[in-house]
């Protein structure tokens, strides 16, 4: 139980294009989902908290117009990196909270912007 | 503000020996404490958590962790390490406020188990 999927697992795009990453909780409902970014050999940096049916809460320093988050249902949240640039290349990980104090993480999405 | 410290970037252990990965925390009030493991190019897998009750928490793959309130520590342990345990381990803390809590992660400790 408590499986979270992410799609795609890796994506390569050209600078200036937009990329959408999906995060799904497969066997539970998640009122809250989280989006993280991880740089090589570093810890996870929380980007935003996504609540179903409401606007995401962004951490300080994270551009909400660049990283669009939509949490349309209790099992799906999407992160869209708009007008991606090479500095946006990173490993993006989502997590979902079934309301039992524990976050369950997706397998991550490797984004490379050329 | 809450914080987590993992003082060791890397821990090397011989297979069959016990292992300890250290974690200390700082949080207002009582914490929820977690250990997650990450394999290369993968997301995090939940290992175990401490919410309340017995200070010794048992988790997946034979790992356990001991909550020590006076030392504000939550060290991860395993009696006998396996080569397959080699991975990146993260300690995390969240405040006790119900579901949807933000996690604060430590910087991670790379565990290397050798034959």
């Amino acid at each position: 139980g408590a499986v979270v999927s992410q799609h795609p697992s890796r994506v390569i795009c050209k600078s200036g294009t937009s990329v959408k990453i999906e995060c799904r909780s497969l066997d539970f409902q998640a009122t809250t989902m989280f989006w993280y970014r991880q740089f090589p050999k570093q810890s996870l940096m929380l980007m935003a908290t996504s609540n179903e049916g409401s606007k995401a809460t962004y951490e300080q320093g994270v551009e909400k117009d660049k990283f669009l988050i939509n949490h349309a249902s209790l099992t799906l949240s999407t992160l869209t990196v708009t007008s991606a640039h090479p500095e946006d290349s990173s490993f993006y990980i989502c997590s979902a909270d079934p309301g039992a104090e524990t976050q369950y993480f997706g397998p991550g999405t490797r984004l490379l912007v050329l | 503000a809450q914080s987590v410290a993992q003082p060791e970037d890397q821990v090397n252990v011989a297979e069959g020996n016990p292992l300890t990965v250290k974690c200390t925390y700082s949080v207002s009030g009582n914490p929820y404490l977690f250990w997650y493991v990450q394999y290369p190019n993968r997301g995090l897998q939940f290992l175990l958590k401490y919410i309340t009750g017995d200070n010794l928490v048992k988790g997946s793959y034979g790992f356990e962790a001991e909550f020590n309130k006076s030392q504000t520590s939550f060290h991860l342990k395993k009696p006998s390490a396996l080569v397959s345990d080699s991975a990146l381990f993260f300690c995390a803390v969240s405040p006790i406020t119900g579901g949807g809590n933000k996690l604060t992660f430590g910087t991670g400790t790379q565990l290397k188990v050798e034959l």
Side-chain angles (χ1 to χ4, degrees), chain A residues 63-76:
Chain A
E63 297 177 60
K64 62 179 181 180
D65 294 330
K66 180 166 188 63
F67 297 101
L68 300 178
I69 292 172
N70 182 275
H71 194 158
S73 76
L74 288 172
T75 59
L76 173 64

PDB file of all heavy atoms in Angstrom, chain A residues 63-76:
ATOM      1  N   GLU A  63       9.437  30.537  -7.244  1.00  0.00           N
ATOM      2  CA  GLU A  63       8.589  31.379  -8.082  1.00  0.00           C
ATOM      3  C   GLU A  63       7.313  30.636  -8.448  1.00  0.00           C
ATOM      4  O   GLU A  63       7.337  29.661  -9.204  1.00  0.00           O
ATOM      5  CB  GLU A  63       9.333  31.743  -9.355  1.00  0.00           C
ATOM      6  CG  GLU A  63      10.594  32.570  -9.153  1.00  0.00           C
ATOM      7  CD  GLU A  63      11.304  32.809 -10.470  1.00  0.00           C
ATOM      8  OE1 GLU A  63      10.690  33.401 -11.369  1.00  0.00           O
ATOM      9  OE2 GLU A  63      12.450  32.371 -10.608  1.00  0.00           O
ATOM     10  N   LYS A  64       6.190  31.116  -7.976  1.00  0.00           N
ATOM     11  CA  LYS A  64       4.923  30.430  -8.227  1.00  0.00           C
ATOM     12  C   LYS A  64       4.483  30.524  -9.688  1.00  0.00           C
ATOM     13  O   LYS A  64       3.765  29.654 -10.173  1.00  0.00           O
ATOM     14  CB  LYS A  64       3.829  30.972  -7.315  1.00  0.00           C
ATOM     15  CG  LYS A  64       3.509  32.435  -7.519  1.00  0.00           C
ATOM     16  CD  LYS A  64       2.394  32.865  -6.571  1.00  0.00           C
ATOM     17  CE  LYS A  64       2.028  34.319  -6.778  1.00  0.00           C
ATOM     18  NZ  LYS A  64       0.941  34.752  -5.846  1.00  0.00           N
ATOM     19  N   ASP A  65       4.921  31.563 -10.377  1.00  0.00           N
ATOM     20  CA  ASP A  65       4.544  31.685 -11.789  1.00  0.00           C
ATOM     21  C   ASP A  65       5.399  30.802 -12.685  1.00  0.00           C
ATOM     22  O   ASP A  65       5.040  30.546 -13.836  1.00  0.00           O
ATOM     23  CB  ASP A  65       4.676  33.137 -12.243  1.00  0.00           C
ATOM     24  CG  ASP A  65       3.676  34.037 -11.550  1.00  0.00           C
ATOM     25  OD1 ASP A  65       2.580  33.531 -11.203  1.00  0.00           O
ATOM     26  OD2 ASP A  65       3.977  35.214 -11.339  1.00  0.00           O
ATOM     27  N   LYS A  66       6.517  30.355 -12.153  1.00  0.00           N
ATOM     28  CA  LYS A  66       7.392  29.485 -12.926  1.00  0.00           C
ATOM     29  C   LYS A  66       7.059  28.015 -12.657  1.00  0.00           C
ATOM     30  O   LYS A  66       7.105  27.199 -13.556  1.00  0.00           O
ATOM     31  CB  LYS A  66       8.846  29.746 -12.571  1.00  0.00           C
ATOM     32  CG  LYS A  66       9.808  28.860 -13.356  1.00  0.00           C
ATOM     33  CD  LYS A  66      11.211  29.362 -13.252  1.00  0.00           C
ATOM     34  CE  LYS A  66      12.085  28.570 -14.201  1.00  0.00           C
ATOM     35  NZ  LYS A  66      11.705  28.755 -15.594  1.00  0.00           N
ATOM     36  N   PHE A  67       6.742  27.735 -11.426  1.00  0.00           N
ATOM     37  CA  PHE A  67       6.432  26.357 -11.038  1.00  0.00           C
ATOM     38  C   PHE A  67       4.944  26.303 -10.686  1.00  0.00           C
ATOM     39  O   PHE A  67       4.547  26.519  -9.538  1.00  0.00           O
ATOM     40  CB  PHE A  67       7.293  25.931  -9.853  1.00  0.00           C
ATOM     41  CG  PHE A  67       8.768  25.922 -10.145  1.00  0.00           C
ATOM     42  CD1 PHE A  67       9.575  26.965  -9.728  1.00  0.00           C
ATOM     43  CD2 PHE A  67       9.340  24.866 -10.836  1.00  0.00           C
ATOM     44  CE1 PHE A  67      10.934  26.956 -10.002  1.00  0.00           C
ATOM     45  CE2 PHE A  67      10.701  24.837 -11.112  1.00  0.00           C
ATOM     46  CZ  PHE A  67      11.505  25.891 -10.697  1.00  0.00           C
ATOM     47  N   LEU A  68       4.140  25.990 -11.701  1.00  0.00           N
ATOM     48  CA  LEU A  68       2.694  25.970 -11.518  1.00  0.00           C
ATOM     49  C   LEU A  68       2.258  24.627 -10.958  1.00  0.00           C
ATOM     50  O   LEU A  68       2.594  23.587 -11.499  1.00  0.00           O
ATOM     51  CB  LEU A  68       1.993  26.225 -12.855  1.00  0.00           C
ATOM     52  CG  LEU A  68       2.294  27.564 -13.536  1.00  0.00           C
ATOM     53  CD1 LEU A  68       1.563  27.655 -14.862  1.00  0.00           C
ATOM     54  CD2 LEU A  68       1.909  28.724 -12.639  1.00  0.00           C
ATOM     55  N   ILE A  69       1.492  24.677  -9.896  1.00  0.00           N
ATOM     56  CA  ILE A  69       1.021  23.453  -9.252  1.00  0.00           C
ATOM     57  C   ILE A  69      -0.489  23.419  -9.271  1.00  0.00           C
ATOM     58  O   ILE A  69      -1.154  24.388  -8.917  1.00  0.00           O
ATOM     59  CB  ILE A  69       1.559  23.354  -7.817  1.00  0.00           C
ATOM     60  CG1 ILE A  69       3.077  23.137  -7.849  1.00  0.00           C
ATOM     61  CG2 ILE A  69       0.863  22.227  -7.049  1.00  0.00           C
ATOM     62  CD1 ILE A  69       3.735  23.212  -6.504  1.00  0.00           C
ATOM     63  N   ASN A  70      -1.008  22.264  -9.675  1.00  0.00           N
ATOM     64  CA  ASN A  70      -2.446  22.049  -9.700  1.00  0.00           C
ATOM     65  C   ASN A  70      -2.762  20.745  -8.986  1.00  0.00           C
ATOM     66  O   ASN A  70      -2.118  19.724  -9.229  1.00  0.00           O
ATOM     67  CB  ASN A  70      -2.947  21.986 -11.152  1.00  0.00           C
ATOM     68  CG  ASN A  70      -4.454  21.818 -11.211  1.00  0.00           C
ATOM     69  OD1 ASN A  70      -4.965  20.711 -11.142  1.00  0.00           O
ATOM     70  ND2 ASN A  70      -5.155  22.922 -11.319  1.00  0.00           N
ATOM     71  N   HIS A  71      -3.714  20.792  -8.084  1.00  0.00           N
ATOM     72  CA  HIS A  71      -4.103  19.595  -7.320  1.00  0.00           C
ATOM     73  C   HIS A  71      -5.598  19.405  -7.523  1.00  0.00           C
ATOM     74  O   HIS A  71      -6.397  19.735  -6.658  1.00  0.00           O
ATOM     75  CB  HIS A  71      -3.743  19.819  -5.849  1.00  0.00           C
ATOM     76  CG  HIS A  71      -3.771  18.573  -5.021  1.00  0.00           C
ATOM     77  ND1 HIS A  71      -3.084  18.465  -3.837  1.00  0.00           N
ATOM     78  CD2 HIS A  71      -4.410  17.394  -5.185  1.00  0.00           C
ATOM     79  CE1 HIS A  71      -3.304  17.283  -3.303  1.00  0.00           C
ATOM     80  NE2 HIS A  71      -4.105  16.610  -4.107  1.00  0.00           N
ATOM     81  N   ALA A  72      -5.916  18.862  -8.686  1.00  0.00           N
ATOM     82  CA  ALA A  72      -7.305  18.834  -9.123  1.00  0.00           C
ATOM     83  C   ALA A  72      -8.146  17.756  -8.455  1.00  0.00           C
ATOM     84  O   ALA A  72      -9.369  17.854  -8.398  1.00  0.00           O
ATOM     85  CB  ALA A  72      -7.355  18.652 -10.644  1.00  0.00           C
ATOM     86  N   SER A  73      -7.495  16.707  -7.974  1.00  0.00           N
ATOM     87  CA  SER A  73      -8.253  15.631  -7.332  1.00  0.00           C
ATOM     88  C   SER A  73      -7.457  15.101  -6.156  1.00  0.00           C
ATOM     89  O   SER A  73      -6.313  15.493  -5.937  1.00  0.00           O
ATOM     90  CB  SER A  73      -8.527  14.500  -8.326  1.00  0.00           C
ATOM     91  OG  SER A  73      -7.357  13.719  -8.526  1.00  0.00           O
ATOM     92  N   LEU A  74      -8.066  14.198  -5.410  1.00  0.00           N
ATOM     93  CA  LEU A  74      -7.409  13.656  -4.220  1.00  0.00           C
ATOM     94  C   LEU A  74      -6.314  12.649  -4.556  1.00  0.00           C
ATOM     95  O   LEU A  74      -5.662  12.133  -3.651  1.00  0.00           O
ATOM     96  CB  LEU A  74      -8.448  13.006  -3.302  1.00  0.00           C
ATOM     97  CG  LEU A  74      -9.373  13.979  -2.582  1.00  0.00           C
ATOM     98  CD1 LEU A  74     -10.474  13.226  -1.854  1.00  0.00           C
ATOM     99  CD2 LEU A  74      -8.599  14.845  -1.592  1.00  0.00           C
ATOM    100  N   THR A  75      -6.123  12.372  -5.832  1.00  0.00           N
ATOM    101  CA  THR A  75      -5.085  11.418  -6.215  1.00  0.00           C
ATOM    102  C   THR A  75      -4.112  11.965  -7.244  1.00  0.00           C
ATOM    103  O   THR A  75      -3.220  11.251  -7.690  1.00  0.00           O
ATOM    104  CB  THR A  75      -5.712  10.132  -6.785  1.00  0.00           C
ATOM    105  OG1 THR A  75      -6.505  10.469  -7.926  1.00  0.00           O
ATOM    106  CG2 THR A  75      -6.570   9.432  -5.744  1.00  0.00           C
ATOM    107  N   LEU A  76      -4.256  13.236  -7.617  1.00  0.00           N
ATOM    108  CA  LEU A  76      -3.404  13.769  -8.677  1.00  0.00           C
ATOM    109  C   LEU A  76      -2.993  15.204  -8.394  1.00  0.00           C
ATOM    110  O   LEU A  76      -3.832  16.062  -8.134  1.00  0.00           O
ATOM    111  CB  LEU A  76      -4.131  13.711 -10.022  1.00  0.00           C
ATOM    112  CG  LEU A  76      -3.415  14.384 -11.209  1.00  0.00           C
ATOM    113  CD1 LEU A  76      -2.108  13.671 -11.523  1.00  0.00           C
ATOM    114  CD2 LEU A  76      -4.328  14.400 -12.438  1.00  0.00           C
TER     115      LEU A  76
END
